[in-house]
Amino acid sequence: MTTHVLVTGAASGIGRAVAADFAARADCVVTSVDIDRERLAAAPGVPVPADLTDPGTPQRILEQAWRRAPVDVLVNAAGIYPSLDMLDVDAERWDRVFALNARAPVLATTAFGGLAIAEGRGGAVVNISSGAALRPRPGGGPYAASKAALEMATRAAALELGPHGIRVNAVSPGFVAVDSECNPVADEYAAAVSVNPLGRPGEPADVARAVRWLAGPESSWITGEIVRVDGGSNAGAAHLPRLWPPRDHEQEGRGE
């Protein structure tokens, strides 16, 4: 049986890796959604150019994809992470971050759920969150707030759609190195956030594999969860120095 997967933000970064991971499977067909027409043309799957900040777009793209074949998996990967200090926030910039990072995935999930329920089908939604939902950074307040909102919306949707056989979860990546013209990352920042117990930054493929697992039958009794794929960053502050030097266990053993 072929699985139809719709991935937003599929023209680059994590979204592209997710689309490619699903598209590499013989039993998957992928619909790729993004506003960047040029990059989208080279993205895996059937391209659908769309501006997800338009409130009517999520419903339209779900209906368009559904006409091709009922959608089994929705992956909401589109997002922006501008550097914006809280003192510089204005209504327009705040609303744009929330429109893409929180409102669009909620509306897409609503559209997906409505279409699936109307046909008596189940399905899976996977949202792409961020470690910033728990720990904001300077200049990242609006982004962090939007991801925190997305995580709560994930749980709320899981609660209400679960009885209809629709699972809603999220993957929360740590720092993942991706090329981005609109969201560039300074080398100093990349070096600082790459400190974690596993000792390396993440790769888009790390996240894509987690998304595919969370959307698949192996996780059929999991919903409303936020899966942290972050090299252990959320386990603790590995970058901080010790409060005191390590004890000399040899001395301790002699009772001195």
Side-chain angles (χ1 to χ4, degrees):
M1 180 178 177
T2 300
T3 300
H4 186 190
V5 184
L6 188 152
V7 182
T8 70
S12 61
I14 290 172
R16 184 184 182 90
V18 169
D21 188 90
F22 277 111
R25 298 169 58 87
D27 60 349
C28 285
V29 59
V30 176
T31 297
S32 295
V33 180
D34 204 283
I35 195 172
D36 192 324
R37 290 175 177 268
E38 183 176 346
R39 290 189 177 186
L40 188 61
V46 179
V48 177
D51 179 4
L52 289 162
T53 62
D54 180 340
T57 294
Q59 182 74 36
R60 178 178 63 79
I61 61 173
L62 262 299
E63 291 176 350
Q64 183 176 340
W66 210 275
R67 286 193 292 270
R68 176 182 175 85
V71 177
D72 302 292
V73 176
L74 168 65
V75 181
N76 290 304
I80 52 174
Y81 44 98
S83 180
L84 178 61
D85 291 342
M86 294 301 288
L87 287 175
D88 295 328
V89 165
D90 57 34
E92 181 179 357
R93 284 184 284 186
W94 178 272
D95 287 350
R96 177 167 176 76
V97 173
F98 269 74
L100 186 57
N101 293 1
R103 186 181 69 191
V106 166
L107 294 180
T109 300
T110 298
F112 174 77
L115 290 165
I117 291 168
E119 295 191 7
R121 299 173 58 89
V125 178
V126 182
N127 295 318
I128 302 300
S129 183
S130 167
L134 299 178
R135 297 184 304 171
R137 58 171 171 77
Y143 174 74
S146 71
K147 291 300 186 178
L150 179 61
E151 291 194 2
M152 182 53 71
T154 296
R155 296 186 181 98
L159 185 69
E160 296 187 21
L161 296 181
H164 300 282
I166 299 171
R167 299 186 299 111
V168 187
N169 293 289
V171 170
S172 172
F175 176 70
V176 175
V178 296
D179 293 327
S180 175
E181 296 177 0
C182 59
N183 297 311
V185 174
D187 291 341
E188 296 83 359
Y189 178 80
V193 296
S194 295
V195 178
N196 58 60
L198 294 185
R200 68 168 177 87
E203 298 178 358
D206 294 320
V207 182
R209 286 189 291 267
V211 169
R212 177 162 50 83
W213 174 79
L214 202 51
E218 297 88 350
S219 59
S220 62
W221 206 47
I222 298 175
T223 195
E225 288 298 323
I226 315 299
V227 177
R228 309 288 173 189
V229 182
D230 60 5
S233 296
N234 196 51
H239 61 288
L240 294 179
R242 290 177 178 271
L243 291 175
W244 48 79
R247 293 182 178 181
D248 187 336
H249 296 290
E250 184 175 344
Q251 292 288 340
E252 286 183 348
R254 292 198 299 265
E256 297 177 359

